[in-house]
Amino acid sequence: MDADWRPALAASILLRHDKRRDADLLVMPERVVVLSGQAASVLRLCDGNRSAGDIVAELERRFPGAPVADDVTGFLDRVRDEGWLR
Amino acid sequence: MNPPDDRRALNRPWGLLAELTHACPLHCPYCSNPLELVRRSRELPTEEWERVMREAGELGVVHVHLSGGEPLLRPDLAAIVAAAVRSDLYTQLVTSGLGLDGARLDELAAVGLHSVQLSVQDADPVNSELIAGRRSFAAKEKAAAAVRERGLPLGLNVVLHRRNLDSIEEIIALGEAWGVERIELANTQFYGWALLNRATLLPDRDQLARAEEAVERRRERLAGRIELVWVVPDYFDGVAKPCMGGWGAVSLTVSPEGTALPCPAAYALEGLEAPNVREHSLEWIWEESEAFNAYRGSDWMREPCRSCAHRDTDFGGCRCQAFALTGDATRTDPACRLSPDHHIIQRIAAARPADPTAVPFTYRKLGGQQTPPATAPSTAAPSPATPYDAPASTAAPSTAGAPPGGGSRPAEGPPPGR
């Protein structure tokens, strides 16, 4: 992954908390993706200002001892492959 | 002791198809509106639609597809979009593009419209207008440009059949040229108007196979830029489609006059009394109404569905197709090779006319079924009719997990059932 990449959600996608289902969703035309685990906390950091490196550092601070570097970079790459992150 | 309250386990609906009007400038012979179209004088007023949007949000609906007919013919469309946005609904306009100029788009974008799905009938303007039954192609092209100029996500919806399947590569190229993000290639489902026109619309296996190969080739080239969605036909492979993701499981439809059902084809089911939003809340309709519970789950099933391993994945196929072809909505969908009625589908598929153009289109029209000449009227008098507005279900949601904390693979859900 490019460490200078500043991930941001694609323009047509909303990250939204669903109160009725108590779930975090990615909402896009014709599709809803239900986020589990800490996916939403990672994606909320994808604001187009933070670099991928900043995001990893921030999560390492929040979750000391978790294998953040590998897990988060892999996750961001997969979400980008889906076309949901730019 | 009270019986356990299993309504708690009932899924909330993800999608609402709001058919705001049946009026439409187009006359597509596969229109998804019922044969008996609702007249404008019987349409729900603004404040009723605003209430429907509010109740949809409270019920858990995430997507609303503002459809028709042609929803732009409702002068109060912006007020309805605004009500949906206030309820946190993701709003998609499903339109023929006729009447979608910059000023109208600005009005809708200002109240928060999220995305636009535009129909086109073929990549070739002459054939597109022959299918639509009126001059319309240039207006669609302009509408697409206006949407892109404003940066709204744009999808293209093309209903596929014998009369346009051979142009599939040109159709996909048209979507590229128009700057769309998504192309829905929806093979015709034969209900209502499409059933009337089945003789001229039904493709054969070879034509479908060629088209599907072309889609797969293009899909690789377009990966990451344009999403291609292939809505499978069900007359040819002996497999029933998991229609709507299950009856009353994923989404609901409200008609122009306020009747609510799990899908827009279900208005043709005899003996099914559609509840009306004028009389009941959406919550009651979803949870309590007889219509929404009629084919929920698998208790209603007969053999061979009842004991079938696929019953929880294909839900017995489509109730409307079972009814249309056998007269009994509780039978197995005849599209399934395990159905005792499968021969009906096989016989229909084998009995296609050699020359589809010898059979004129029965164009969709308010107040009766008419058969205009099978040539494109270049200046057809606009009369109310509609494009096929996808029975737009929200796909059963997929899940994506992320670290830290377990499974982290974004997974795709199934494509929308139709």
Side-chain angles (χ1 to χ4, degrees):
Chain A
M1 191 178 68
D2 175 5
D4 295 332
W5 176 35
R6 296 178 188 280
L9 281 178
S12 58
I13 298 181
L14 300 180
L15 173 59
R16 180 168 277 183
H17 183 71
D18 181 337
K19 283 182 293 212
R20 305 280 160 229
R21 297 178 179 83
D22 192 22
D24 294 305
L25 309 177
L26 281 185
V27 187
M28 54 197 94
E30 308 284 343
R31 185 178 298 159
V32 180
V33 177
V34 181
L35 299 168
S36 61
Q38 295 298 324
S41 358
V42 178
L43 292 176
R44 279 196 192 95
L45 296 174
C46 298
D47 56 5
N49 293 317
R50 290 181 173 87
S51 70
D54 295 339
I55 292 170
V56 168
E58 169 67 24
L59 290 164
E60 279 176 334
R61 195 180 56 73
R62 285 194 211 169
F63 301 96
V68 168
D70 286 351
D71 287 0
V72 171
T73 51
F75 172 73
L76 292 176
D77 280 340
R78 283 195 303 277
V79 178
R80 175 159 64 176
D81 288 347
E82 293 287 348
W84 303 335
L85 277 179
R86 298 281 152 88
Chain B
M1 197 167 113
N2 292 326
D5 183 5
D6 60 1
R7 269 179 296 134
R8 236 178 278 261
L10 186 62
N11 291 327
R12 295 173 175 279
W14 292 94
L16 167 67
L17 175 63
E19 296 187 320
L20 301 179
T21 179
H22 281 161
C24 184
L26 305 193
H27 306 278
C28 305
Y30 43 72
C31 179
S32 65
N33 289 159
L35 295 177
E36 241 180 87
L37 298 167
V38 172
R39 290 181 181 279
R40 304 225 55 182
S41 57
R42 286 163 58 202
E43 289 177 6
L44 290 181
T46 314
E47 56 274 17
E48 290 277 8
W49 277 117
E50 289 172 330
R51 181 175 57 80
V52 167
M53 296 306 155
R54 197 170 61 243
E55 291 183 359
E58 286 163 7
L59 188 54
V61 169
V62 173
H63 271 139
V64 60
H65 305 272
L66 299 153
S67 180
E70 174 49 67
L72 294 167
L73 292 175
R74 289 280 307 214
D76 57 354
L77 180 60
I80 297 169
V81 171
V85 171
R86 279 198 300 276
S87 292
D88 267 349
L89 300 176
Y90 190 98
T91 50
Q92 171 155 269
L93 176 68
V94 181
T95 179
S96 69
L98 276 68
L100 192 58
D101 57 14
R104 196 77 196 275
L105 258 175
D106 287 339
E107 184 197 9
L108 298 172
V111 292
L113 179 72
H114 293 94
S115 70
V116 176
Q117 186 194 79
L118 177 67
S119 75
V120 70
Q121 284 65 40
D122 196 349
D124 169 54
V126 173
N127 200 42
S128 184
E129 293 180 354
L130 170 63
I131 295 164
R134 73 161 280 167
R135 186 173 289 265
S136 50
F137 193 84
K140 289 170 181 288
E141 189 168 15
K142 280 177 75 173
V147 174
R148 296 311 299 152
E149 276 165 23
R150 281 154 187 82
L152 279 174
L154 175 63
L156 200 64
N157 179 283
V158 190
V159 176
L160 298 175
H161 46 78
R162 190 177 182 182
R163 308 285 290 269
N164 66 4
L165 268 165
D166 291 337
S167 322
I168 191 102
E169 305 222 30
E170 291 82 358
I171 289 169
I172 295 168
L174 181 81
E176 266 187 280
W178 286 6
V180 307
E181 296 178 7
R182 183 174 191 280
I183 305 176
E184 187 167 301
L185 301 161
N187 282 284
T188 304
Q189 311 287 336
F190 292 100
Y191 314 105
W193 295 95
L195 194 56
L196 280 182
N197 285 288
R198 188 176 55 195
T200 188
L201 295 176
L202 188 68
D204 68 14
R205 201 184 295 270
D206 290 343
Q207 189 184 24
L208 275 168
R210 285 196 305 276
E212 195 168 4
E213 278 170 32
V215 170
E216 290 314 315
R217 281 198 304 274
R218 288 272 176 162
R219 193 194 300 282
E220 271 176 41
R221 280 202 9 226
L222 296 172
R225 289 194 295 135
I226 300 178
E227 182 188 9
L228 296 184
V229 180
W230 172 258
V231 179
V232 296
D234 62 353
Y235 266 49
F236 296 96
D237 60 3
V239 177
K241 59 181 179 285
C243 204
M244 305 306 290
W247 183 271
V250 176
S251 62
L252 71 167
T253 299
V254 176
S255 84
E257 59 183 337
T259 50
L261 280 176
C263 99
Y267 294 102
L269 287 181
E270 279 168 25
L272 191 72
E273 205 167 312
N276 195 298
V277 299
R278 296 183 204 249
E279 288 146 26
H280 300 284
S281 70
L282 273 196
E283 184 183 23
W284 183 90
I285 287 170
W286 181 257
E287 294 181 356
E288 310 282 347
S289 72
E290 206 179 315
F292 275 76
N293 284 295
Y295 307 110
R296 241 182 201 142
S298 51
D299 287 350
W300 58 273
M301 286 179 183
R302 300 159 47 167
E303 295 297 352
C305 290
R306 179 172 276 275
S307 59
C308 181
H310 303 295
R311 66 177 193 174
D312 296 320
T313 50
D314 69 12
F315 316 108
C318 172
R319 296 306 87 226
C320 302
Q321 182 146 284
F323 178 77
L325 298 183
T326 75
D328 180 352
T330 67
R331 291 182 74 80
T332 297
D333 184 339
C336 178
R337 71 168 66 85
L338 302 173
S339 157
D341 305 309
H342 189 49
H343 61 93
I344 298 175
I345 289 265
Q346 291 175 308
R347 201 169 57 225
I348 293 164
R352 296 180 334 135
D355 175 12
T357 61
V359 185
F361 287 137
T362 299
Y363 284 107
R364 172 260 205 229
K365 221 170 175 65
L366 187 65
Q369 306 153 17
Q370 295 183 17
T371 307
T375 50
S378 57
T379 53
S383 75
T386 196
Y388 173 95
D389 291 327
S393 67
T394 301
S398 47
T399 56
S408 57
R409 179 171 300 275
E412 283 299 302
R418 305 237 142 185

